[in-house]
Amino acid sequence: MINIVLLSLLVVIAIAIIRMKDLFAVVMLTGIYGLLSASFFVAMDAVDVAFTEAAVGAGISTLLMLVAITMTGRKEKVTRHKPFAALFIVLITGGLLIYGTLDMPLFGSADAPIHSHVAPRYLNDSMQEIGIPNVVTSVLASYRAFDTFGEVVVIFTAGIGVLALLFVPRRKEEDEKIASINDSMHEHHLVIRIITKMLIPFILLFALYVQFHGDYGPGGGFQAGVIFSSAIVLYTMLFGLSTARKVINQGFIQLMAAFGVLFYGCVGIASLMNGGNFFDYNVLSDDPVAGQHLGILLIEWGVGVTVAAIMIIIFFSFAGRRELQQHSENNKNRESL
Amino acid sequence: MITHLPILQVVIPLMAAPICLILKRPQLAWIFALAVSGLAFAISLVLLQQVMVSGVISYELGGWQAPWGIEYRIDQLNALMLLIISTISTIVLFAAPESLDKEISKDKHTYFYVLYLLSLTGMLGIVATGDAFNVFVFLEITSLSAYALIAMGKKKQAVWASFQYLVMGTIGATFILIGIGLMYQMTGTLNMQDLAQRLPEVSQTRTVFTAFAFVIVGVCLKLAMFPLHLWLPNAYAYAPSIVTAFFSATSTKVAIYLLIRFTFSVFGLSFSFTTVPLQTLFMTLGVLGIFVASISAIYQHNIKHLFAYSSIAQIGYMIVGFSISSVSGLTATLLHLFNHALMKSAIFLALAAVAYRVGNVQLDNLKGLGREMPWTMAAIVIGGLSLIGVPLTVGFVSKWYLLTALIEQGWWPIAVLILLGSMLAVIYVWKVVEIAYFKESSGAPVKEAPLSFLIPIWTLVIANVYFGIDTRFSVEIAQAAAQSLFGGGL
Amino acid sequence: MLMGLFNNWVVIVLMMSGLYIVIAHGNLIKKLVGLTIFQTSVFIFYISMAKVNGGSAPILSENISLYSNPLPHVLILTAIVVGIATTALGLSLVVRLKESYGTIEEEEIQRQDNQQNQALNKERDK
């Protein structure tokens, strides 16, 4: 029953997003769309996915879109080109998909092919082979560790791509000038500043908890990385980018991002050195299960470090670009006066 | 260590990317990237030799047996693709520092090399893996690095081309994801070989038909097959010259590989060509693509645009060979894939040299370059002859095989159309030749390109001629790969 | 029968609204929103197929015997990361486009490009 309610809500939001012209509202609705799908994932027993979707769909992606909107304007032009062509394509694609559903196994049926091939082994044997209760973690960190490695590389690629597109090297004097303008803007939020300062240690602590708890419950490196970076983002928003950059400088986070990927890869190399295949954790220790534990612990750290570093890099790049834009606008205004 | 070569092929360039970022200095990053790409080339040679001697190599990642873990699987086709990708990547990288100096600001060179290595990794990963979902992951590594690399182009149009590519590419990737999901739902597995065994049981279901349609449309978007090619010309024309040279020879080829892999190995020949009317559809689109793209090429004023349209036309030839669905047709496609990589990388690298000296690649600015940059222009001419399919070049070999394959099936009309298509190539190549050799130069004279361009360019040109005369190597591998695809799946 | 398919059909409607936004809307941010919705809906499709009636989350425990399928969960964890990576890169492209074209509407960008090409062609004809 709850599925139907959630799905209907999602449809309503999707239609609202199509119709709205105010991009700020659209972005907020997209965030809610992410949050609702996360709730749906919980109803579908996918707790790990729900956690990640909540952090990404409702968190990071909404935040990035909001920052982007402050730079690009929040009104959508009414012109809508080729609505009929779009409708035609959508109807064909959707029709084909509906045609495809007709022979699908029914929703929730336990005898569907996916529940009888491949997956049963994960559920039945992972306790003996890997020895941790969260099967999702076993599969993503050991059986399909290479996919997760690919995932880390994807996020690394995105980070470097954003840097390549948005990074502007600044001279020192310029930097200080921008910083002083921003500092004056941030003075107002005294109460929020103090509360945030008190909150940050707890957020970081929670990140560490999620990092270590991934074996037993939902969580793991990716989610921990996102939470960790959100603490830094919060700090940046209230104390200004230049202050945050003094705490974490650009060179250092780039190093950390690279380090995380290398660390993950080195676990694979270590397996090779010990005579196993790439990412074969059994050979990392005398006892295979202990080896699996060690391997998973290490690669989760690799994931966490890279994800946290890249999220910070991406946010800093956007925020830095925005400061620069404001700075040049200020200059222009001054000249025209 | 020799048993671990399949994974090292992908993981070495992968781990080299973050190391490049740590090295920081562009000069160091370049030397390192070049060394790593060279190493990948060496590995691919050994792998090819192993496959040709002792057959398919399978490598279980994490030590987990195949459908439960991810498997790397190298057969003749994979080995050939790995060789093409790593060779072109290494040769193109030689000319990178000079070209980048003119086109990208100095502080972003290191990021360029990191992204270049990542896109190399992605392509190698797509080819080496035997797992359908792993394909998706590495496809995204390739695509994301490609978007960033294209957007690094000098003009503002580069960013716009990159955005359009991002939208099309993401739709394509999501279609592939839907297709994989549907296949998984019907079989319970993601391993390609396991899929090939389990799909026939359910091949009559509507779900599998839908899965097939989504995977094929998704791959064709990445492939820039007519009529889904609209993102390609601008992306190639405005990307940094080095990126164009690399991608024109590799990225669409990887998509062709995926098309062949999914239709022949995963879904199987009988499903792809008898249950689904793929043959008629692809034959029509292939021939249409050749004509529409060749005619568009004739009307371009920017040479990179011109040759980008020519690439779409060449994809048409590969699609025609593919849709014959015979061993000789597939051999022709694979040969053309190999040969076209050699031609286009030579041409686009020569254009990089032109951009280096002249500053842009507008057709008008080519006037008199035949005398001022004789070696560079000669390379473009030989590459162009190869595109037309003149004897003694590689282009002739693959066209010859394609025509024989068509005539074998008695498809004379198509064969005639293919020959007519080549006539169109004569027109657009002649346009370039005419301006470069028969028009007087108007501006200040320019010098010949430096050796760092000429050496890689002429390496490729010589390969164009060598494999046009001595066809043993390329034909043997293409035939072996085609036969293994027809001889019972993976 | 109908209930078993209903879920999938709603998810298809969601996917298609995402795809519609991507194709029909000219605003680039809106296009990225469309892509996000399209992808998120595909995630919903994967996760729905993993559900087993009466099953519980795949975290092993002594007193539970029926679990939902963990494999689609793993795949979608990866796909979510791919999605955010694409969004981040896409947004940085949009920011750059705004800086160089002064607009993020597809039609206006296209018009500026066309005008520039026409100007080039005129120059050539002279």
Side-chain angles (χ1 to χ4, degrees):
Chain A
M1 200 53 217
I2 183 129
N3 312 347
I4 297 174
V5 175
L6 284 173
L7 284 176
S8 322
L9 274 175
L10 283 170
V11 173
V12 173
I13 292 177
I15 292 169
I17 291 176
I18 295 181
R19 302 200 58 86
M20 291 248 188
K21 297 279 162 250
D22 182 359
L23 290 177
F24 180 73
V26 166
V27 170
M28 290 322 273
L29 280 177
T30 315
I32 295 174
Y33 191 90
L35 201 60
L36 275 177
S37 30
S39 329
F40 181 75
F41 295 157
V42 176
M44 294 287 109
D45 304 333
V47 274
D48 277 277
V49 185
F51 196 167
T52 311
E53 176 63 29
V56 168
I60 292 287
S61 114
T62 313
L63 177 75
L64 289 180
M65 284 190 181
L66 286 177
V67 180
I69 286 180
T70 59
M71 288 185 263
T72 57
R74 60 183 277 185
K75 269 276 171 272
E76 183 190 0
K77 284 263 170 68
V78 200
T79 51
R80 188 177 300 175
H81 60 290
K82 49 193 184 199
F84 292 107
L87 211 58
F88 179 71
I89 295 174
V90 164
L91 284 179
I92 298 252
T93 324
L96 184 60
L97 271 172
I98 288 183
Y99 174 77
T101 58
L102 297 178
D103 285 331
M104 261 181 204
L106 294 184
F107 172 76
S109 68
D111 49 0
I114 61 165
H115 304 310
S116 54
H117 184 53
V118 179
R121 153 132 183 215
Y122 300 142
L123 290 169
N124 298 332
D125 299 348
S126 73
M127 207 59 192
Q128 287 97 53
E129 288 175 342
I130 316 258
I132 57 173
N134 188 348
V135 188
V136 174
T137 304
S138 308
V139 178
L140 83 84
S142 184
Y143 293 105
R144 296 185 70 87
F146 197 64
D147 265 354
T148 310
F149 193 28
E151 166 193 325
V152 176
V153 178
V154 165
I155 203 80
F156 179 73
T157 311
I160 302 302
V162 171
L163 266 181
L165 288 170
L166 296 185
F167 180 65
V168 203
R170 284 192 205 162
R171 280 186 316 242
K172 197 135 193 220
E173 4 13 317
E174 235 179 306
D175 205 39
E176 275 159 12
K177 213 187 258 169
I178 297 175
S180 64
I181 300 171
N182 285 322
D183 277 350
S184 60
M185 276 160 59
H186 288 284
E187 295 283 281
H188 315 299
H189 312 293
L190 195 64
V191 179
I192 307 179
R193 272 186 163 190
I194 292 168
I195 294 176
T196 311
K197 248 189 187 156
M198 279 155 49
L199 261 177
I200 284 173
F202 290 104
I203 300 180
L204 295 180
L205 201 65
F206 182 55
L208 285 178
Y209 170 77
V210 172
Q211 173 81 45
F212 283 112
H213 196 65
D215 299 1
Y216 305 99
F222 184 80
Q223 294 93 327
V226 173
I227 295 172
F228 189 91
S229 65
S230 72
I232 309 289
V233 168
L234 194 63
Y235 183 81
T236 315
M237 278 157 80
L238 286 162
F239 294 85
L241 189 60
S242 7
T243 327
R245 276 223 174 117
K246 270 176 211 146
V247 183
I248 305 174
N249 88 2
Q250 184 83 15
F252 175 72
I253 27 177
Q254 283 191 30
L255 193 71
M256 288 322 278
F259 173 76
V261 178
L262 283 175
F263 190 69
Y264 197 140
C266 283
V267 176
I269 304 280
S271 306
L272 289 188
M273 295 300 170
N274 285 319
N277 276 1
F278 205 74
F279 288 139
D280 185 348
Y281 309 142
N282 284 346
V283 296
L284 292 180
S285 163
D286 295 335
D287 173 26
V289 173
Q292 290 287 343
H293 264 281
L294 181 64
I296 292 176
L297 186 80
L298 292 177
I299 64 133
E300 289 276 19
W301 268 104
V303 178
V305 170
T306 298
V307 169
I310 291 290
M311 290 300 165
I312 296 171
I313 286 180
I314 292 177
F315 182 75
F316 276 15
S317 305
F318 276 93
R321 196 80 179 189
R322 182 159 167 266
E323 275 190 355
L324 214 67
Q325 276 186 10
Q326 285 172 337
H327 181 59
S328 60
E329 265 166 39
N330 281 349
N331 280 352
K332 248 186 245 160
N333 291 343
R334 215 169 296 149
E335 276 163 25
S336 63
L337 282 175
Chain B
M1 230 36 185
I2 199 103
T3 51
H4 297 301
L5 282 182
I7 186 67
L8 290 178
Q9 172 85 77
V10 178
V11 162
I12 288 177
L14 193 161
M15 296 197 34
I19 294 177
C20 246
L21 187 67
I22 295 175
L23 287 178
K24 216 151 188 182
R25 285 194 29 220
Q27 196 69 25
L28 276 178
W30 172 65
I31 293 174
F32 185 67
L34 189 62
V36 164
S37 181
L39 188 59
F41 166 66
I43 294 177
S44 73
L45 269 182
V46 179
L47 276 177
L48 180 67
Q49 193 261 342
Q50 275 187 331
V51 170
M52 294 306 277
V53 173
S54 51
V56 181
I57 307 171
S58 161
Y59 185 86
E60 286 163 351
L61 278 152
W64 300 111
Q65 216 190 330
W68 295 280
I70 293 170
E71 181 195 21
Y72 263 26
R73 204 175 172 82
I74 317 283
D75 66 4
Q76 285 94 338
L77 178 59
N78 304 81
L80 174 67
M81 292 301 303
L82 293 174
L83 181 69
I84 295 176
I85 297 165
S86 53
T87 313
I88 302 288
S89 145
T90 313
I91 295 178
V92 167
L93 208 46
F94 261 106
E98 270 77 16
S99 185
L100 292 193
D101 274 341
K102 293 265 165 129
E103 298 187 15
I104 296 176
S105 74
K106 193 81 188 167
D107 47 319
K108 294 197 169 152
H109 285 196
T110 310
Y111 298 144
F112 178 91
Y113 294 119
V114 175
L115 290 166
Y116 187 95
L117 280 175
L118 286 169
S119 86
L120 173 65
T121 305
M123 291 189 218
L124 294 173
I126 296 173
V127 174
T129 189
D131 187 278
F133 191 79
N134 202 236
V135 167
F136 168 75
V137 176
F138 278 82
L139 190 68
E140 283 301 311
I141 296 177
T142 319
S143 309
L144 287 172
S145 45
Y147 308 145
L149 284 171
I150 290 169
M152 287 173 98
K154 215 166 30 170
K155 291 187 169 173
K156 63 178 181 181
Q157 282 92 335
V159 185
W160 178 229
S162 165
F163 187 85
Q164 285 175 310
Y165 182 22
L166 180 132
V167 170
M168 291 297 253
T170 310
I171 293 178
T174 313
F175 270 39
I176 295 176
L177 189 63
I178 295 174
I180 292 172
L182 292 168
M183 280 196 279
Y184 173 66
Q185 198 172 21
M186 295 311 285
T187 58
T189 185
L190 292 164
N191 181 279
M192 289 185 183
Q193 211 191 6
D194 203 21
L195 275 170
Q197 275 163 11
R198 287 171 167 266
L199 275 173
E201 283 171 37
V202 286
S203 68
Q204 293 307 318
T205 57
R206 288 166 278 197
T207 312
V208 170
F209 172 79
T210 311
F212 182 73
F214 272 84
V215 170
I216 296 297
V217 173
V219 170
C220 286
L221 263 168
K222 291 275 173 190
L223 181 57
M225 190 179 104
F226 176 83
L228 302 172
H229 65 276
L230 294 169
W231 58 267
L232 185 138
N234 282 336
Y236 277 16
Y238 297 115
S241 306
I242 290 293
V243 175
T244 314
F246 181 39
F247 283 179
S248 66
T250 50
S251 75
T252 49
K253 310 294 177 294
V254 171
I256 296 248
Y257 160 80
L258 278 181
L259 180 69
I260 295 175
R261 185 53 88 207
F262 275 111
T263 46
F264 280 83
S265 308
V266 175
F267 285 95
L269 195 60
S270 66
F271 178 82
S272 305
F273 287 96
T274 40
T275 317
V276 182
L278 200 63
Q279 188 166 53
T280 337
L281 182 71
F282 268 40
M283 187 66 85
T284 320
L285 290 179
V287 173
L288 268 177
I290 293 174
F291 278 88
V292 173
S294 300
I295 292 170
S296 309
I298 295 172
Y299 289 99
Q300 298 306 316
H301 298 294
N302 175 313
I303 317 174
K304 272 171 109 182
H305 261 133
L306 187 153
F307 283 114
Y309 275 105
S310 144
S311 277
I312 299 168
Q314 302 300 318
I315 289 166
Y317 291 105
M318 292 176 221
I319 294 294
V320 169
F322 164 83
S323 58
I324 298 171
S325 74
S326 69
V327 175
S328 48
L330 201 57
T331 308
T333 296
L334 294 177
L335 261 179
H336 199 51
L337 198 147
F338 176 78
N339 295 342
H340 182 245
L342 292 178
M343 307 171 206
K344 272 292 153 61
S345 51
I347 291 178
F348 276 115
L349 209 52
L351 288 177
V354 172
Y356 178 76
R357 283 297 186 212
V358 182
N360 64 45
V361 287
Q362 288 298 323
L363 207 46
D364 294 337
N365 295 331
L366 233 60
K367 284 176 190 160
L369 273 198
R371 272 180 300 280
E372 286 162 10
M373 299 176 75
W375 288 96
T376 310
M377 289 315 294
I380 296 185
V381 171
I382 296 178
L385 292 177
S386 201
L387 273 177
I388 299 168
V390 173
L392 297 184
T393 61
V394 281
F396 174 73
V397 181
S398 36
K399 288 244 170 86
W400 177 261
Y401 273 84
L402 183 58
L403 288 176
T404 1
L406 281 167
I407 290 165
E408 213 173 70
Q409 305 280 323
W411 291 348
W412 285 97
I414 310 271
V416 172
L417 286 174
I418 297 284
L419 282 175
L420 278 177
S422 302
M423 293 298 119
L424 291 172
V426 176
I427 302 178
Y428 61 71
V429 171
W430 175 251
K431 249 181 96 170
V432 178
V433 172
E434 187 189 7
I435 290 195
Y437 287 90
F438 299 103
K439 290 270 170 72
E440 281 306 316
S441 157
S442 46
V446 290
K447 277 195 297 207
E448 177 57 271
L451 277 181
S452 54
F453 280 102
L454 289 180
I455 293 171
I457 292 172
W458 276 86
T459 314
L460 289 164
V461 170
I462 290 168
N464 260 300
V465 178
Y466 177 80
F467 289 113
I469 299 168
D470 179 6
T471 58
R472 279 171 303 180
F473 172 79
S474 48
V475 171
E476 186 196 353
I477 299 173
Q479 248 160 4
Q483 269 156 5
S484 82
L485 284 169
F486 274 86
L490 288 167
Chain C
M1 164 79 186
L2 198 65
M3 272 317 292
L5 289 177
F6 172 78
N7 241 339
N8 285 332
W9 290 351
V10 178
V11 176
I12 291 171
V13 170
L14 290 176
M15 284 185 206
M16 289 310 117
S17 19
L19 190 59
Y20 177 80
I21 298 176
V22 181
I23 305 172
H25 285 257
N27 184 290
L28 304 187
I29 298 264
K30 194 94 176 233
K31 267 188 199 291
L32 289 178
V33 167
L35 277 182
T36 311
I37 295 204
F38 184 32
Q39 287 177 321
T40 312
S41 314
V42 176
F43 306 159
I44 298 180
F45 160 69
Y46 264 80
I47 297 297
S48 319
M49 77 166 111
K51 172 74 179 166
V52 177
N53 280 336
S56 61
I59 296 173
L60 300 175
S61 145
E62 302 236 319
N63 37 28
I64 300 172
S65 59
L66 194 58
Y67 300 98
S68 287
N69 193 331
L71 187 50
H73 299 180
V74 175
L75 305 183
I76 290 315
L77 279 173
T78 306
I80 290 178
V81 178
V82 170
I84 179 68
T86 314
T87 310
L89 202 61
L91 285 172
S92 55
L93 287 173
V94 174
V95 168
R96 284 279 304 274
L97 284 169
K98 171 75 179 179
E99 284 176 6
S100 48
Y101 285 88
T103 173
I104 55 163
E105 298 290 332
E106 186 176 13
E107 286 187 344
E108 287 173 23
I109 293 176
Q110 208 76 57
R111 195 182 313 137
Q112 285 186 27
D113 272 0
N114 290 344
Q115 276 169 359
Q116 201 181 347
N117 282 340
Q118 277 164 8
L120 268 176
N121 287 345
K122 257 183 204 158
E123 210 174 290
R124 188 174 301 118
D125 291 340
K126 277 176 194 168

